[in-house]
C-alpha cells in the first residue's frame, strides 16, 4: 500500500469509532449496488457486538433488510436473531405517504377556503405528490422521527438520504428565511381578516401556521444533530471502478461544503488477486488489473479517508453469519 | 431489487400512458467465461444467480426485452468502451 500524501492520521474503521465515543447516527451513501445495505448491516452487527444498543433502520420504499437478514423486520423494530443488542426495522413508507397526502389535502383544502378560491384540492394534491422528491421527503420525515424518539444508543441507516440531507442542510438558512417570511405574512393576513370582519367570532385555528412553525423547529433540530461531528458520520462506499468513485467524489464535495460530518470512505468488492488462478480467462485478469488502477486513484483522491477495503465474496452477502464475517473485516 | 424498481416504474409509466419501447438487461456475464474451467468461484456464483433472475426477467417482460448486454471486462469509460457497448446492444436487435 502506498503511503498517503498528507500527514493526516489514517484511521481504520475501528480507530474512527474509538475516536468518537458519542457517535450515534451512522449513514452509508454511494451509487446503487455498491453495498450500502450490506455495509449498514455489517456496521450495525459490529457495533452491537461491541456492546451498543443498535437500531438498523431502512426508510427505503423498496426494502432489503428482511432479505439480507433472512428475517421479517417489516413494520416494527425487531430483535435480530443471533445478534444481541441489535434491532432491525423497515419502515412502512406507503403508510407515511398516505398520511402525508392526507395532511396535505387538509392543508390545501383549508388554504383554498381561507383564500376564497373555488376549486378542488385533488389536482393540487396529485401534482404535489407525484413528484419523486415527495417519496424522498416521506423517507426523510420517517428518519427524523426515529432520530428524535431517541430509544437506542446508536442508529445505522440503510441508504443515506443524500439528496435530502444536502437539500436540508444546504438550504436550511433559506428555509428559515422562507418560513419566517411565511409566518409574518400569515400574521398580517390574519390581522386584515380580523379587521375586516364584523363578527368578532373566536379566532380560528390556523393549521398552516402551526405546520410552518413545527416544520421550522424540526429542521433546526435535525440540523443540529446531523452537523455535529461527535454524533453523526456519513460513510461513502465505492468500488474500484470509475462511476462509483465519481459519485462519492461529488457527495464528499457537497458534504464538505455544507459542513456535514464525513466518517470516511469504504472500498467494497475488491477481487482477491491471490484467489484468481493464472489460467483464468483474460476477462478476469483484466478486471483485476482494472481494480488495481482504480485502487491507486482511490488512494490519491481519498488517501487518509479510506477506513476499510473489503473483498468481493464468492456469493452475495446474506444472513447473520455472513454479516458477522463482513463486520469482522470492516472493523479489523 | 432493480427488477422490482423497474416493474414499479413500468406501472407508473402505464398509468400516465407513457409508452415503453422495451427493456434492456445489462451486465450479463458471458457463459463461456463463467463456466470455463479456471473461472474464479465468485464469477461462477454470480453467473448462477444471474441466470435465475434472467429467467424471471424473461418471464416478466418476455419479448419486450430488446437486448441483453454482456458484462465487459472493465467499466464503461471512454469512447472505445462505449463503442463496444453499442455494438453489443444492437447485435441482438430484433426490430
Ligand atoms: N463484498 C461483497 N461481496 C459479494 N457480494 C457483495 C459484497 N457487497 C455487497 N454484495 C452484494 O451486492 C449486492 C448489492 O449490495 P447492496 O448492499 O444491496 O447495495 P446497495 O444497498 O448499495 O444498493 C447484494 O446482492 C449484496 O449481497
Ligand atoms: Mg440498498
Amino acid at each position: 500500500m502506498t503511503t498517503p500524501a498528507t500527514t493526516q492520521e489514517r484511521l481504520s474503521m475501528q480507530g474512527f469509532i474509538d475516536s468518537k465515543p458519542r457517535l450515534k447516527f451512522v449513514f452509508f451513501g454511494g451509487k446503487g449496488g455498491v453495498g450500502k445495505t450490506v455495509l449498514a448491516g455489517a456496521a450495525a452487527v459490529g457495533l452491537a457486538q461491541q456492546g451498543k444498543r443498535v437500531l438498523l433502520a431502512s426508510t427505503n420504499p423498496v426494502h432489503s433488510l428482511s432479505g439480507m437478514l433472512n428475517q421479517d423486520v417489516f413494520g416494527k423494530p425487531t430483535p435480530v436473531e443471533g445478534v444481541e443488542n441489535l434491532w432491525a426495522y423497515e419502515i412502512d413508507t406507503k403508510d407515511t405517504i398516505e398520511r402525508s397526502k392526507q395532511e396535505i389535502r387538509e392543508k390545501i383544502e383549508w388554504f383554498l377556503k381561507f383564500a376564497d378560491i373555488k376549486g378542488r384540492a385533488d389536482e393540487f394534491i396529485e401534482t404535489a405528490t407525484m413528484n419523486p422528491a415527495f417519496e424522498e421527503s416521506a423517507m426523510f420525515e420517517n428518519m427524523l422521527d426515529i432520530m428524535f424518539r431517541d430509544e437506542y444508543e446508536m442508529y445505522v441507516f440503510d441508504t443515506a438520504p443524500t439528496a435530502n440531507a444536502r437539500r436540508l442542510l444546504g438550504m436550511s438558512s433559506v428555509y428559515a428565511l422562507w418560513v419566517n417570511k411565511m409566518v409574518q405574512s400569515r400574521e398580517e393576513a390574519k390581522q386584515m381578516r380580523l379587521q375586516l370582519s364584523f363578527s368578532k367570532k373566536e379566532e380560528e385555528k390556523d393549521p398552516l401556521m402551526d405546520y410552518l412553525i413545527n416544520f421550522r423547529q424540526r429542521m433546526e433540530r435535525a440540523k443540529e444533530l446531523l452537523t455535529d461531528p461527535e454524533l453523526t458520520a456519513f460513510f461513502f462506499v465505492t468500488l474500484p471502478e470509475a462511476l462509483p468513485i465519481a459519485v462519492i467524489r461529488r457527495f464528499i464535495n457537497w458534504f464538505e461544503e455544507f459542513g456535514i460530518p464525513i466518517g470516511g470512505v469504504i472500498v467494497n468488492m475488491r477481487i482477491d488477486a491471490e484467489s484468481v488462478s493464472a489460467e483464468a480467462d483474460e476477462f478476469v485478469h483484466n478486471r483485476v488489473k482494472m481494480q488495481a488502477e482504480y485502487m491507486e486513484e482511490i488512494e490519491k483522491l481519498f488517501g487518509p479517508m479510506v477506513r476499510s477495503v473489503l473483498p468481493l465474496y464468492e456469493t452475495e452477502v446474506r444472513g447473520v453469519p455472513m454479516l458477522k464475517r463482513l463486520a469482522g473485516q470492516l472493523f479489523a | 431489487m432493480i427488477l422490482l424498481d423497474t416493474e414499479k416504474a413500468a406501472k407508473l409509466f402505464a398509468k400516465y400512458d407513457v409508452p415503453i419501447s422495451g427493456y434492456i438487461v445489462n451486465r450479463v456475464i458471458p457463459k463461456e467465461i463463467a463456466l470455463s474451467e479456471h473461472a474464479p468461484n465468485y464469477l461462477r456464483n454470480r453467473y448462477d444467480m444471474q441466470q435465475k433472475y434472467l429467467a424471471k426477467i424473461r418471464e416478466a417482460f418476455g419479448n419486450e426485452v430488446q437486448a441483453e448486454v454482456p458484462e465487459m471486462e472493465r467499466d464503461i469509460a471512454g469512447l472505445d468502451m462505449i463503442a463496444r457497448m453499442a455494438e453489443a446492444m444492437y447485435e441482438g436487435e430484433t426490430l
Side-chain angles (χ1 to χ4, degrees):
Chain A
M1 205 193 298
T2 50
T3 42
T6 71
T7 52
Q8 202 182 328
E9 191 190 0
R10 188 188 193 111
L11 288 176
S12 66
M13 190 70 179
Q14 187 65 54
F16 179 84
I17 297 290
D18 290 341
S19 76
K20 302 276 178 188
R22 290 171 52 225
L23 191 66
K24 190 159 184 172
F25 306 110
V26 177
F27 299 87
F28 291 87
K31 194 176 174 300
V34 295
K36 296 179 295 292
T37 301
V38 155
L39 278 166
V45 166
L47 292 166
Q49 284 178 322
Q50 294 179 27
K52 301 270 189 186
R53 275 169 53 86
V54 182
L55 180 69
L56 168 63
S58 161
T59 54
N60 286 7
V62 182
H63 293 292
S64 37
L65 293 187
S66 290
M68 177 178 69
L69 295 168
N70 286 330
Q71 191 189 335
D72 179 12
V73 300
F74 183 78
K76 63 172 194 295
T78 310
V80 174
E81 283 158 33
V83 191
E84 228 167 288
N85 297 321
L86 178 61
W87 286 259
Y89 179 20
E90 290 174 339
I91 304 159
D92 184 355
T93 2
K94 271 212 196 82
D95 205 51
T96 322
I97 288 173
E98 278 315 309
R99 230 174 30 235
S100 322
K101 271 191 188 167
Q102 190 50 37
E103 272 170 31
I104 288 185
R105 171 185 303 277
E106 278 162 21
K107 277 185 277 243
I108 290 178
E109 276 166 357
W110 187 88
F111 179 78
L112 292 178
K113 206 176 94 203
F114 176 87
D116 256 337
I117 297 173
K118 299 235 172 351
R120 277 156 36 83
D122 292 20
E123 279 164 42
F124 292 98
I125 295 159
E126 183 80 346
T127 336
T129 56
M130 261 302 288
N131 188 336
F134 186 76
E135 198 165 73
E136 216 190 304
S137 295
M139 286 162 55
F140 195 69
E141 290 293 312
N142 281 333
M143 189 191 89
L144 294 186
D145 284 338
I146 293 181
M147 287 172 66
F148 294 163
R149 237 178 280 140
D150 197 12
E151 293 164 342
Y152 296 83
E153 280 175 285
M154 287 190 91
Y155 297 81
V156 179
F157 288 97
D158 168 28
T159 311
T162 314
N164 238 312
R166 169 175 177 255
R167 250 196 307 274
L168 160 70
L169 298 162
M171 309 266 301
S172 66
S173 42
V174 183
Y175 269 147
L177 275 178
W178 177 74
V179 172
N180 288 343
K181 185 82 201 145
M182 289 289 283
V183 169
Q184 192 192 338
S185 51
R186 296 205 52 75
E187 278 296 348
E188 284 165 7
K190 203 152 79 181
Q191 288 310 319
M192 287 256 275
R193 277 172 74 94
L194 275 179
Q195 280 167 16
L196 287 175
S197 71
F198 296 101
S199 63
K200 282 273 183 287
K201 70 175 172 194
E202 261 310 287
E203 195 182 307
E204 276 176 70
K205 214 169 142 300
D206 184 340
L208 263 180
M209 183 84 115
D210 290 348
Y211 172 78
L212 287 172
I213 288 171
N214 182 273
F215 181 73
R216 182 173 57 183
Q217 273 170 356
R218 272 173 80 83
M219 291 303 134
E220 274 164 8
R221 207 163 146 214
K223 187 182 176 190
E224 235 165 68
L225 295 179
L226 287 173
T227 54
D228 184 341
E230 297 308 311
L231 292 180
T232 295
F234 281 78
F235 292 94
F236 293 105
V237 185
T238 189
L239 311 181
E241 280 182 34
L243 280 180
I245 293 175
V247 166
I248 72 164
R249 266 183 95 175
R250 200 168 60 224
F251 284 172
I252 288 172
N253 281 338
W254 288 349
F255 277 48
E256 275 175 346
E257 200 177 315
F258 296 133
I260 310 174
I262 299 168
V265 169
I266 293 165
V267 184
N268 193 18
M269 301 197 201
R270 176 85 203 270
I271 300 170
D272 174 16
E274 308 267 291
S275 75
V276 175
S277 112
E279 290 97 75
D281 208 280
E282 215 191 313
F283 173 95
V284 179
H285 287 289
N286 284 340
R287 274 256 144 199
V288 173
K289 213 160 67 203
M290 173 198 84
Q291 286 203 341
E293 287 164 28
Y294 284 118
M295 285 309 290
E296 267 176 42
E297 192 179 336
I298 287 171
E299 189 56 39
K300 257 190 252 134
L301 288 170
F302 311 118
M305 290 171 86
V306 176
R307 302 273 169 258
S308 184
V309 178
L310 297 164
L312 175 66
Y313 288 143
E314 291 183 356
T315 63
E316 61 180 338
V317 180
R318 275 191 97 148
V320 166
M322 237 181 132
L323 283 174
K324 282 185 176 166
R325 185 169 147 214
L326 188 60
Q329 277 173 307
L330 178 62
F331 291 103
Chain B
M1 179 74 186
I2 294 176
L3 192 57
L4 287 177
D5 277 343
T6 307
E7 281 178 341
K8 197 170 132 193
K11 274 190 205 132
L12 207 65
F13 274 43
K15 184 170 162 201
Y16 291 90
D17 294 327
V18 181
I20 293 176
S21 316
Y23 300 87
I24 295 172
V25 187
N26 195 8
R27 300 191 74 165
V28 179
I29 301 169
K31 186 173 174 185
E32 320 79 73
I33 292 172
L35 299 184
S36 84
E37 188 184 350
H38 297 286
N41 286 337
Y42 82 84
L43 203 64
R44 208 165 299 178
N45 290 332
R46 276 193 48 201
Y47 174 81
D48 290 343
M49 203 168 74
Q50 282 194 350
Q51 293 304 310
K52 216 172 64 196
Y53 287 119
L54 266 172
K56 275 194 198 162
I57 289 172
R58 291 181 186 130
E59 193 182 308
F61 303 127
N63 53 13
E64 288 175 279
V65 176
Q66 303 287 359
E68 286 174 12
V69 182
E71 168 115 319
M72 301 282 174
E73 63 201 28
R74 56 171 302 131
D75 53 6
I76 311 301
L79 269 182
D80 279 2
M81 287 306 286
I82 291 177
R84 283 183 53 188
M85 187 84 177
E87 220 170 276
M89 246 173 82
Y90 290 110
E91 202 170 69
E93 203 183 43
T94 50
L95 288 175

